[in-house]
Amino acid sequence: MPRFTASKALQYGVLALAVLMLATQCSAESKPSGPAPKPPPPAAADTEMSADIFIFACGAIGILFSVFLYFCVAAIPIKAASGERQSLTSAASDEELETIYETIRAGAKAFLWAEYQICFIFVVCFGFLIFLLVSHVSVDGESTWDFSTGALTALSFVIGALTSILAGYIGMMVAVFSNARTAVSAKKDGEKGWMESFNTAFRAGGVMGYSLCSLSLMILYILCLFYRGLIADTSGKTDYNRLFECIAGYGLGGSAIAMFGRVGGGIFTKAADVGADLSGKVIGVGGGKKLDEDSPYNPGVIADNVGDNVGDVAGMGSDLFGSFGEASCAAMLIGASCVAVEEAGWTALVFPLFISASGIVVCLIVSFVATDIYLVKKEEDIELSLKIQLFLTSVFMTLVLWPVTEWALPHEMDIHGIPVTPFLCYICIAAGLWGGCAIGFLTEYYTSHTYQPVRDVARASETGAATNIIYGLALGYSSVIWPVIIISFIIFVSFKFAGMYGVALAALGMLSTLATCLAIDVYGPISDNAGGIAEMCEMPASVRDKTDALDAAGNTTAAIGKGFAIGSAALVSLALFGAFVTRASDNMHEDEKLTHKGVNLLSPVVFAFVLFGAMVPYWFSALTMRSVGEAANAMVKNIANQFANIQGLSDCAALDFHERQAYVASGKKLVKPDYEACINIATQASLREMIPPGLLVILTPILVGSLCGVEAVAGLLTGAIVSSVQLAISMSNTGGAWDNAKKYTEKGELNGWFMFRDGTEVDETKFKAAAENGNSGNKCMAQKRYGSTDEAVDIKTWLADIEKSDPARYDKIMNGDEGIKTTDGRMCVYAGKKSAAHAAVVVGDTVGDPLKDTSGPALNIVMKLMAIISVVFADFFMSINDGNGLLHTGGLTSA
């Protein structure tokens, strides 16, 4: 096939170029070690040119590779080839797939356009506020106006916001473009179906990963170069402190849009998800059946699929873009305050960007392991392949970053009284890199049903929903322990070795594998959508087996991604806190600088606002969770109204796929639900409800700093960071555990664990031991076919026969009023899908939805956005009563 050959040629061409460029750069950057004196540094112009070439080359390679991946995905047709033979059933399924695919795309575009209209208005209004307030500065203890600083900061804010919008749009469009193609790829038989469906979803995720990292890197660097030319005086000397203070607006723009993406997207996706799920439980259709939550006749199911992309793709992309922008700005701002770094020149100042640039190339090279070397050929390969990606990327980044660090940074630095070497900076980066990897895998341990914690939560459903929820909450609280220990260790090491500069480098180290992490994160919702589409189109069981396996691995990687995002947000927030303190200290007496004496926790204003800051995440979470509940309630009511008012909808919804085809063949027309009504409800609710929590986070540091001063803001940020980290981990892992406990139950893995109690005396210890020894799951409940004495069938087939032949007995089994004998002779309660145990885990899953996909992830933005706002407005705060606020609550003195 010519197209395939051309793609392969481009693929290996990009790989060869990346390897060659990275090897050349590393060899050029390596310096002799040991006590021998260092050779004289190259001319400033040469080192600056090397920095330009390295950053732009890495960015260009990343963009080129993302374009290549896009064409790989686009080469997969949704429609069958014109000469290809198809059965009538397959043709009808393909027609339904195309209709659903187009509906999801239209819904995604409609939401993005509605959200971005609000974002554009916000960018204009808040950009003007930045221009006005940031222009009011303190110079030598006197308040004055510097409109050029305000204008440059506002411009960088606008550029950061637009870049964040672009990143979210690219990710969203690629995700909805590739979901149906993943389902189509899964239709192929055997190993080819596994390999191509996985590669489609993974490559689509890579389009966002590499394009986002490359665009954000190059735009930020171009902005730095542009501002350097503007700020330089007539002699050519540049005030780098001022330059990077203005550049901080770039991170603020990215984080502000991420707030709307995360909160608005989170409300949309969970309102749609909860609404569609609840509709499947409370709304009846013809023949006494309940509406299937994945039925194409559930009006909320399309909104649910749109929501997967809105929250987990566009929201996640904007979130991690904000982390990159903020960590880079914080590191460069702190570095510019160090005389040795400034004297070393431009290469040392923009060294934080080298970390991200190297990461693009390393992630690109390692990505071929999943798609071309360690091929996915069966279900067990999927999760392992994704974990190998994360691990190998971290290994190669560890090797690459040492020569980059050694070349770019001066041999010795003094950062606010701490002697620092390139090796110590490298240790800080490596600590963040491997700490992020460890947090990701720990998150998986607490949220994957492969491990004991989630299985314990699922088994707690034996006694109902209450115990399931109690176990889930306990798991969430205990899952905080080790990630916080790791984050604390990273902070201690990096702070000890290189001060706040080290913390910023640790954050960038954790984000250095961002391209791979984004590819894996976006892979999850694409696979989820593919599974939903396959279910709605009632594709063959072999297709749904593949998409379900891809989705299950996606749930695990999504949990890893959330842990990674939370850990990086904690470090980024602390780095921004350091940048805030550094910037505020510029206008203080030498002996009063907070960078020297620190923030006094025993100060009344600091202590009071630590407590106040710790409260803000709870206030924020209350607003977002209530919004999900109200929107889901409105959606369920709308769906109920549709079934009551649209004639024939209930009857069509009661038909299965083959019955619908016969219905159409008889000349009758199927009645479709109004999908757009549910999409509109979720869209309007998310846009309306994202404003109060957004204003809470944006206005709180501005009001606190204006009224109570810099010390109050320091306390506010401290409390918010400490509280947000722990609450975000707990919420995300609790919700993830409940979700996977439900999936564990639906696989039938609880069968054989719950004793049927009919008064017969049974040794419970031996009963549990039998289950632990492998006599559990659907296989232990194989039965003779109903009405037959010889033919053995699996439990699902047996129950389906009973449901048709003896509905009363079927209801008793599902309610746990009749036991089923296992293959080893034990009497057990059925605990698979639609059982009483399943109903209990579904309650936990529904409660956990807004925790893991709305409030929990959005807390990342709470701590980052409050911190970056404080950095941007630090000079404004210092201009009000020497940094003591309008109420004069602090005890600071100016320079």
Side-chain angles (χ1 to χ4, degrees):
M1 295 174 65
R3 186 166 192 173
F4 177 78
T5 304
S7 296
K8 278 293 181 185
L10 178 59
Q11 179 178 0
Y12 291 117
V14 171
L15 177 59
L17 179 62
V19 173
L20 179 62
M21 194 220 63
L22 194 60
T24 304
Q25 187 68 24
C26 286
S27 63
E29 291 164 359
S30 298
K31 295 187 295 187
S33 58
K38 294 174 62 178
D46 293 338
T47 58
E48 289 179 17
M49 184 174 292
S50 297
D52 295 347
I53 292 172
F54 186 48
I55 290 174
F56 285 124
C58 290
I61 288 173
I63 290 176
L64 181 63
F65 189 60
S66 68
V67 172
F68 161 72
L69 293 177
Y70 172 80
F71 281 112
C72 285
V73 175
I76 301 168
I78 293 180
K79 294 182 180 180
S82 56
E84 189 175 333
R85 295 181 61 185
Q86 285 185 293
S87 66
L88 291 175
T89 300
S90 179
S93 177
D94 285 350
E95 287 179 11
E96 195 152 5
L97 180 146
E98 190 175 355
T99 301
I100 292 168
Y101 163 73
E102 293 295 344
T103 306
I104 293 173
R105 288 190 75 188
K109 287 183 177 179
F111 172 80
L112 283 183
W113 173 239
E115 181 182 49
Y116 289 160
Q117 283 179 298
I118 293 177
C119 288
F120 287 136
I121 295 172
F122 166 79
V123 168
V124 172
C125 295
F126 197 63
F128 177 75
L129 182 66
I130 290 172
F131 167 70
L132 191 65
L133 298 185
V134 173
S135 297
H136 191 252
V137 298
S138 176
V139 178
D140 296 328
E142 297 294 330
S143 297
T144 186
W145 292 92
D146 182 358
F147 290 107
S148 61
T149 298
L152 291 175
T153 305
L155 177 61
S156 61
F157 164 76
V158 172
I159 292 174
L162 294 179
T163 306
S164 184
I165 287 173
L166 177 63
Y169 180 80
I170 291 173
M172 184 80 154
M173 289 299 98
V174 169
V176 298
F177 177 76
S178 56
N179 51 18
R181 288 171 169 80
T182 301
V184 169
S185 299
K187 293 171 70 174
K188 297 180 180 178
D189 295 329
E191 293 182 354
K192 189 174 183 181
W194 286 106
M195 181 184 68
E196 293 196 9
S197 58
F198 171 83
N199 284 356
T200 301
F202 185 70
R203 283 171 173 160
V207 175
M208 181 177 186
Y210 295 104
S211 62
L212 182 149
C213 292
S214 302
L215 284 171
S216 57
L217 173 69
M218 290 201 294
I219 291 172
L220 176 57
Y221 190 62
I222 290 171
L223 195 62
C224 290
L225 293 175
F226 176 62
Y227 278 18
R228 185 177 65 165
L230 286 178
I231 293 175
D233 57 24
T234 54
S235 65
K237 187 176 181 181
T238 302
D239 182 352
Y240 288 115
N241 272 310
R242 185 181 174 216
L243 187 156
F244 292 117
E245 286 171 2
C246 294
I247 288 292
Y250 182 81
L252 174 56
S255 195
I257 297 303
M259 166 60 73
F260 293 117
R262 267 299 198 189
V263 176
I267 293 172
F268 184 107
T269 183
K270 288 303 106 179
D273 190 4
V274 173
D277 288 354
L278 291 177
S279 298
K281 296 169 180 60
V282 301
I283 295 174
V285 295
K289 299 179 181 178
K290 290 291 184 183
L291 177 64
D292 190 342
E293 64 187 55
D294 291 321
S295 167
Y297 289 86
N298 184 337
V301 75
I302 296 294
D304 186 11
N305 281 283
V306 172
D308 289 336
N309 301 294
V310 167
D312 292 336
V313 178
M316 172 68 83
S318 295
D319 181 1
L320 291 176
F321 162 74
S323 292
F324 159 77
E326 290 156 339
S328 301
C329 292
M332 290 189 292
L333 180 58
I334 297 171
S337 69
C338 172
V339 175
V341 175
E342 184 175 354
E343 289 178 347
W346 183 247
T347 300
L349 286 166
V350 298
F351 163 69
L353 300 184
F354 290 1
I355 299 172
S356 302
S358 304
I360 293 172
V361 180
V362 169
C363 291
L364 184 157
I365 294 170
V366 175
S367 71
F368 290 102
V369 174
T371 57
D372 293 80
I373 299 174
Y374 183 82
L375 299 176
V376 171
K377 298 180 180 179
K378 56 185 183 298
E379 179 177 353
E380 292 76 16
D381 294 340
I382 301 172
E383 199 168 311
L384 181 60
S385 178
L386 295 172
K387 290 178 183 177
I388 288 174
Q389 285 294 301
L390 288 173
F391 180 77
L392 287 182
T393 306
S394 299
V395 170
F396 283 105
M397 279 303 298
T398 306
L399 300 175
V400 166
L401 284 172
W402 167 240
V404 174
T405 307
E406 178 71 9
W407 170 71
L409 292 177
H411 186 61
E412 292 180 351
M413 298 173 282
D414 184 279
I415 298 179
H416 302 305
I418 302 174
V420 179
T421 64
F423 178 73
L424 294 178
C425 290
Y426 171 73
I427 294 297
C428 296
I429 300 169
L433 173 65
W434 284 102
C437 192
I439 290 171
F441 287 125
L442 272 171
T443 305
E444 181 209 4
Y445 172 75
Y446 282 105
T447 56
S448 172
H449 59 60
T450 305
Y451 304 103
Q452 197 63 35
V454 171
R455 295 185 176 190
D456 289 340
V457 172
R459 290 166 191 166
S461 63
E462 180 179 11
T463 50
T467 45
N468 176 267
I469 289 175
I470 290 169
Y471 269 67
L473 290 172
L475 179 147
Y477 295 147
S478 61
S479 71
V480 172
I481 299 169
W482 279 107
V484 168
I485 289 174
I486 291 172
I487 293 172
S488 301
F489 176 77
I490 296 171
I491 291 170
F492 175 80
V493 169
S494 55
F495 208 155
K496 184 76 173 176
F497 286 173
M500 279 296 182
Y501 188 64
V503 176
L505 293 181
L508 285 167
M510 193 175 286
L511 291 166
S512 62
T513 58
L514 182 57
T516 292
C517 290
L518 272 172
I520 292 174
D521 283 335
V522 176
Y523 155 89
I526 290 172
S527 300
D528 191 4
N529 263 205
I533 291 172
E535 187 76 24
M536 285 186 283
C537 296
E538 298 186 81
M539 289 183 175
S542 61
V543 176
R544 281 177 276 176
D545 287 344
K546 293 186 184 76
T547 57
D548 287 348
L550 293 172
D551 182 22
N555 285 329
T556 298
T557 57
I560 293 175
K562 287 186 176 73
F564 168 82
I566 294 167
S568 62
L571 293 179
V572 168
S573 300
L574 186 58
L576 291 169
F577 178 82
F580 165 71
V581 170
T582 299
R583 189 173 182 189
S585 297
D586 287 343
N587 291 307
M588 297 180 187
H589 286 296
E590 191 64 31
D591 56 350
E592 291 292 323
K593 288 181 181 292
L594 296 179
T595 51
H596 293 167
K597 72 172 189 175
V599 178
N600 183 10
L601 184 61
L602 297 180
S603 166
V605 66
V606 174
F607 193 88
F609 277 96
V610 166
L611 190 58
F612 181 85
M615 173 274 300
V616 171
Y618 290 89
W619 187 358
F620 175 88
S621 299
L623 292 172
T624 52
M625 290 185 69
R626 184 177 179 84
S627 297
V628 170
E630 291 179 353
N633 192 32
M635 186 171 292
V636 173
K637 290 179 180 178
N638 177 272
I639 294 172
N641 288 336
Q642 288 195 39
F643 276 91
N645 298 327
I646 300 177
Q647 189 173 359
L649 179 60
S650 181
D651 294 332
C652 291
L655 303 175
D656 63 24
F657 181 77
H658 298 289
E659 290 171 338
R660 285 201 294 275
Q661 299 312 308
Y663 188 85
V664 172
S666 67
K668 298 178 182 178
K669 187 176 181 180
L670 292 169
V671 179
K672 292 281 187 170
D674 184 0
Y675 297 123
E676 290 187 5
C678 289
I679 293 175
N680 288 337
I681 287 173
T683 299
Q684 296 305 318
S686 62
L687 298 182
R688 181 181 65 251
E689 298 294 339
M690 73 181 182
I691 294 174
L695 291 177
L696 170 68
V697 176
I698 291 170
L699 295 180
T700 296
I702 297 176
L703 292 176
V704 169
S706 301
L707 296 175
C708 301
V710 168
E711 289 179 300
V713 174
L716 175 76
L717 297 181
T718 302
I721 292 170
V722 171
S723 179
S724 293
V725 170
Q726 321 226 20
L727 192 58
I729 295 173
S730 175
M731 282 184 165
S732 296
N733 290 349
T734 296
W738 279 328
D739 183 14
N740 282 318
K742 183 189 77 168
K743 288 179 169 59
Y744 185 71
T745 303
E746 290 175 344
K747 288 179 65 178
E749 297 297 333
L750 291 182
N751 284 324
W753 280 93
F754 300 161
M755 182 190 305
F756 178 69
R757 303 179 187 278
D758 58 355
T760 305
E761 186 174 344
V762 178
D763 188 330
E764 292 201 24
T765 302
K766 292 182 178 178
F767 184 94
K768 295 293 184 185
E772 289 171 355
N773 290 333
N775 293 319
S776 61
N778 285 337
K779 66 180 184 296
C780 81
M781 283 192 168
Q783 303 289 317
K784 299 292 184 182
R785 181 177 286 279
Y786 188 72
S788 170
T789 56
D790 299 320
E791 185 182 359
V793 294
D794 62 81
I795 185 65
K796 290 183 178 179
T797 303
W798 186 73
L799 288 172
D801 291 342
I802 292 181
E803 184 179 15
K804 293 178 180 177
S805 305
D806 193 348
R809 186 183 179 193
Y810 176 83
D811 289 340
K812 288 179 67 177
I813 292 172
M814 289 298 157
N815 292 331
D817 296 329
E818 180 179 331
I820 298 178
K821 183 173 286 189
T822 61
T823 53
D824 60 352
R826 295 174 298 139
M827 289 298 293
C828 296
V829 174
Y830 177 70
K833 196 169 185 179
K834 298 184 179 180
S835 67
H838 180 246
V841 295
V842 165
V843 171
D845 176 49
T846 306
V847 172
D849 274 338
L851 294 179
K852 70 181 176 68
D853 290 323
T854 306
S855 299
L859 287 172
N860 300 341
I861 315 290
V862 172
M863 46 184 161
K864 292 188 300 181
L865 184 53
M866 291 176 69
I868 190 66
I869 287 174
S870 302
V871 172
V872 170
F873 289 94
D875 271 2
F876 170 68
F877 299 153
M878 285 301 300
S879 71
I880 303 174
N881 290 330
D882 297 331
N884 295 302
L886 291 172
L887 302 181
H888 216 294
T889 55
L892 300 177
T893 56
S894 64

